[in-house]
């Protein structure tokens, strides 16, 4: 095989096509939508592979040959100014590697940022020297970027990852940012969108509440875990390719333990692949050792995250972690069972934990957003109770 990897279970960077596991139906559905003047909301828990799926779609022949594609990660943005900066930089960087003529036309179109571009003395190409403080009129900058995309001779697909972040922007208290973006996007005919995110309650409210600007403006795709048989077949085929064997019962145990979460399964197999030598079986004992190391690595980060919580917030988080999927969390029975001080303190804790994205709410059901955090918390509780 061309460009054969030392480890077929890729966990860093883009995944080369032969090492990408399935998602054929989801790929077909999304491509069908965005190539037929449709927009889509891609929703799933964290670490389920949304970002990798989008990048996989952007590499498909029918997309990369006929569309300009832009992947904009909004996770660390907190204002419309940061949105404009991040969006502008992604568009500029993408065109820089693709088309010199397009790049120069973009620079001319971004009049609100005219003073932030220079030119490379060797290549003669524009250079992007934008600093956050120079974005003085982000609304105009965003409008200019979208206008350029709309007038491009090549149709465009834009993915805004963690799109729900805009609902918590400091300048979106009354929905101003959502209204601005919707007012621009609804008139575009040359640009289609993938709105991706991991906070179900926020995305659902944004796109399926009649009071919100983005109401009914995109189809919904809930990204589910890869089926256990699908991922096992993928993992076993690569193990066999390197003269190794994956025990199906041991794999199934950790698939269930990790709730089928794509990234953590991939990491488990990545590390186990290293320790499983040619001719050997990757069995339960080997996977146990691998998982213990993963758990220890995660514990330090989880401890830092937990240190910012109050005692009552920790009590609420621990209670929900122990339950797995917790219902009726404000009932007297739940409060008593988990020794929470009061219903009001539980309500307050839930609000903060959801805001911090430690918890995910699906209707009246709550769970810890990150399965590895939940497992670390359970491990922590077990250690404390055994002392």
């Amino acid at each position: 095989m061309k460009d054969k990897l030392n480890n077929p279970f890729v966990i860093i960077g883009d995944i080369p096509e032969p090492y990408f596991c399935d998602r054929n139906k989801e790929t077909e559905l999304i491509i069908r939508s965005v190539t037929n003047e449709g927009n889509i909301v891609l929703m799933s828990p964290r670490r389920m592979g949304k970002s990798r799926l989008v990048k996989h779609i952007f590499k498909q022949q029918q997309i990369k040959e006929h569309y300009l594609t832009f992947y904009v990660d909004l996770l660390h943005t907190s204002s419309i100014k940061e949105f404009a900066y991040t969006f502008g930089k992604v568009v500029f960087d993408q065109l820089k590697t693709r088309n010199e003529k397009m790049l120069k036309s973009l620079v001319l179109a971004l009049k609100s940022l005219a003073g932030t571009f220079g030119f490379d003395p060797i290549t003669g190409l524009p250079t992007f020297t934008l600093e956050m403080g120079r974005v003085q009129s982000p609304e105009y900058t965003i409008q200019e970027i979208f206008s350029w995309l709309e007038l491009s001779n090549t149709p465009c697909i834009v993915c805004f990852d963690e799109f729900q972040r805009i609902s918590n922007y400091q300048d979106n208290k009354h929905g101003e940012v959502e209204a601005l973006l919707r007012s621009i996007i609804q008139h575009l005919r040359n640009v289609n969108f993938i709105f991706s995110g991991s906070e179900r309650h926020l995305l659902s409210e944004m796109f399926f509440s009649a009071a919100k600007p983005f109401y009914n403006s995109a189809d919904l795709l809930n990204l589910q875990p890869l089926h256990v048989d699908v991922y096992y077949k993928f993992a076993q085929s690569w193990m066999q390719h390197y003269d190794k064997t994956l025990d199906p019962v041991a794999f199934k145990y950790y698939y269930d333990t990790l709730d089928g979460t794509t990234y953590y399964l991939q990491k488990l197999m990545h590390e186990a692949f290293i320790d499983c030598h040619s001719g050997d079986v990757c069995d339960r004992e080997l996977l146990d050792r691998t998982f213990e190391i993963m758990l220890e690595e995660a514990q330090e980060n989880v401890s830092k995250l937990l240190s910012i919580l109050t005692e009552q917030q920790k009590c609420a988080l621990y209670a929900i972690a122990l339950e797995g999927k917790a219902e009726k969390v404000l009932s007297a029975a739940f409060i008593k069972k988990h020794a929470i001080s009061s219903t009001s303190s539980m309500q307050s804790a839930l609000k903060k934990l959801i805001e911090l994205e430690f918890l995910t709410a699906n209707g009246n059901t709550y769970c810890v957003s990150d399965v590895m955090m939940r497992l670390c918390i359970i491990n922590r509780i077990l250690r404390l109770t055994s002392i």
Side-chain angles (χ1 to χ4, degrees):
M1 178 184 293
K2 185 180 178 181
D3 298 327
K4 180 178 176 180
L5 299 181
N6 292 327
N7 193 318
F9 302 101
V10 181
I11 58 174
I12 296 174
D14 286 345
I15 301 178
E17 291 299 292
Y19 303 94
F20 189 88
C21 181
D22 194 56
R23 297 298 190 194
N24 298 325
K25 289 182 180 179
E26 294 90 343
T27 297
E28 183 180 341
L29 192 154
I30 293 173
I31 290 177
R32 184 174 183 270
S33 177
V34 297
T35 58
N36 285 278
E37 292 74 52
N39 301 323
I40 199 157
V41 178
L42 179 60
M43 190 187 303
S44 83
R46 287 179 178 176
R47 309 285 191 175
M48 205 59 74
K50 294 184 301 301
S51 303
R52 293 285 177 82
L53 173 58
V54 171
K55 292 174 181 179
H56 168 73
I57 287 167
F58 284 176
K59 287 189 285 187
Q60 299 309 298
Q61 207 72 16
Q62 67 198 96
I63 298 297
K64 70 179 183 181
E65 287 190 357
H66 302 290
Y67 290 83
L68 292 174
T69 57
F70 306 95
Y71 172 81
V72 187
D73 187 355
L74 301 176
L75 180 61
H76 299 295
T77 63
S78 60
S79 68
I80 189 172
K81 181 180 283 191
E82 291 183 359
F83 180 100
Y85 172 83
T86 304
F87 188 20
K89 190 171 189 315
V90 166
V91 173
F92 182 91
D93 288 345
Q94 178 70 353
L95 293 181
K96 184 170 63 176
T97 63
R98 179 161 178 151
N99 189 298
E100 180 179 339
K101 185 177 179 180
M102 284 184 178
L103 179 63
K104 289 183 176 179
S105 74
L106 173 68
V107 171
L108 293 174
L110 296 183
K111 295 180 174 60
S112 64
L113 301 179
T116 66
F117 294 104
F119 287 88
D120 188 299
I122 297 175
T123 65
L125 291 177
T127 57
F128 192 69
T129 57
L130 180 61
E131 297 174 358
M132 194 75 68
R134 291 179 179 267
V135 183
Q136 297 299 320
S137 303
E139 298 88 350
Y140 294 114
T141 300
I142 292 168
Q143 177 70 69
E144 287 171 344
I145 296 169
F146 278 127
S147 294
W148 185 89
L149 295 176
E150 178 69 3
L151 294 173
S152 169
N153 292 327
T154 307
C156 305
I157 301 171
V158 176
C159 173
F160 287 124
D161 200 3
E162 300 301 343
F163 187 67
Q164 76 278 349
R165 289 292 301 171
I166 72 171
S167 65
N168 288 325
Y169 280 2
Q170 58 202 27
D171 34 23
N172 188 58
K173 291 181 180 178
H174 302 290
E176 296 91 340
V177 177
E178 291 175 62
L180 169 70
L181 293 177
R182 177 60 180 148
S183 69
I184 300 171
I185 286 172
Q186 67 182 337
H187 298 297
L188 301 178
R189 295 292 175 265
N190 197 49
V191 191
N192 291 99
F193 296 87
I194 301 169
F195 302 103
S196 175
S198 56
E199 291 300 307
R200 181 187 299 271
H201 68 293
L202 291 176
L203 276 176
S204 295
E205 185 179 1
M206 289 174 73
F207 286 93
F208 307 111
S209 168
K212 294 291 187 174
F214 276 95
Y215 173 65
N216 222 17
S217 62
D219 295 327
L220 172 65
L221 174 59
N222 270 310
L223 192 65
Q224 301 296 328
L226 288 162
H227 191 277
V228 60
D229 294 338
V230 170
Y231 192 85
Y232 174 76
K233 184 179 179 181
F234 167 80
Q236 169 66 347
S237 68
W238 278 115
M239 283 289 195
Q240 287 181 331
H241 190 80
Y242 289 82
D243 194 29
K244 305 175 185 184
T245 303
L246 176 61
D247 179 78
V249 176
F251 174 80
K252 174 68 164 53
Y253 173 82
Y254 275 104
Y255 178 94
D256 292 340
T257 298
L258 293 165
D259 293 340
T261 305
T262 308
Y263 171 76
Y264 291 126
L265 283 170
Q266 188 84 341
K267 183 171 175 59
L268 181 74
M269 293 310 306
H270 178 93
E271 299 301 328
F273 179 86
I274 297 171
D275 294 329
C276 184
H277 303 296
S278 180
D280 289 348
V281 176
C282 181
D283 57 13
R284 175 64 184 274
E285 183 180 352
L286 191 153
L287 289 180
D288 282 347
R289 291 198 305 270
T290 304
F291 180 72
E292 281 300 316
I293 294 170
M294 284 176 59
L295 202 59
E296 287 175 16
E297 290 175 350
Q299 283 286 6
E300 183 178 352
N301 186 48
V302 169
S303 294
K304 289 178 182 177
L305 292 172
L306 294 178
S307 69
I308 70 172
L309 301 181
T310 66
E311 183 179 341
Q312 289 303 319
Q313 289 162 0
K314 285 180 186 176
C315 284
L317 183 63
Y318 288 10
I320 291 169
L322 287 169
E323 295 285 337
K325 291 184 178 179
E327 299 178 340
K328 299 179 179 178
V329 297
L330 298 178
S331 67
F334 189 93
I335 299 295
K336 182 179 179 181
K337 177 182 177 181
H338 295 286
I340 295 166
S341 61
S342 67
T343 302
S344 61
S345 68
M346 184 64 176
Q347 286 177 316
S348 176
L350 287 174
K351 182 179 179 182
K352 186 63 177 179
L353 291 168
I354 290 172
E355 181 185 315
L356 291 169
E357 299 184 4
F358 285 11
L359 291 182
T360 296
N362 184 12
N364 293 320
T365 302
Y366 296 83
C367 65
V368 179
S369 300
D370 189 297
V371 65
M372 191 58 76
M373 173 181 271
R374 176 168 64 81
L375 293 171
C376 285
I377 289 170
I378 292 171
N379 187 55
R380 185 188 186 102
I381 293 169
L382 291 174
R383 285 208 318 267
L384 289 172
T385 54
S386 65
I387 294 175

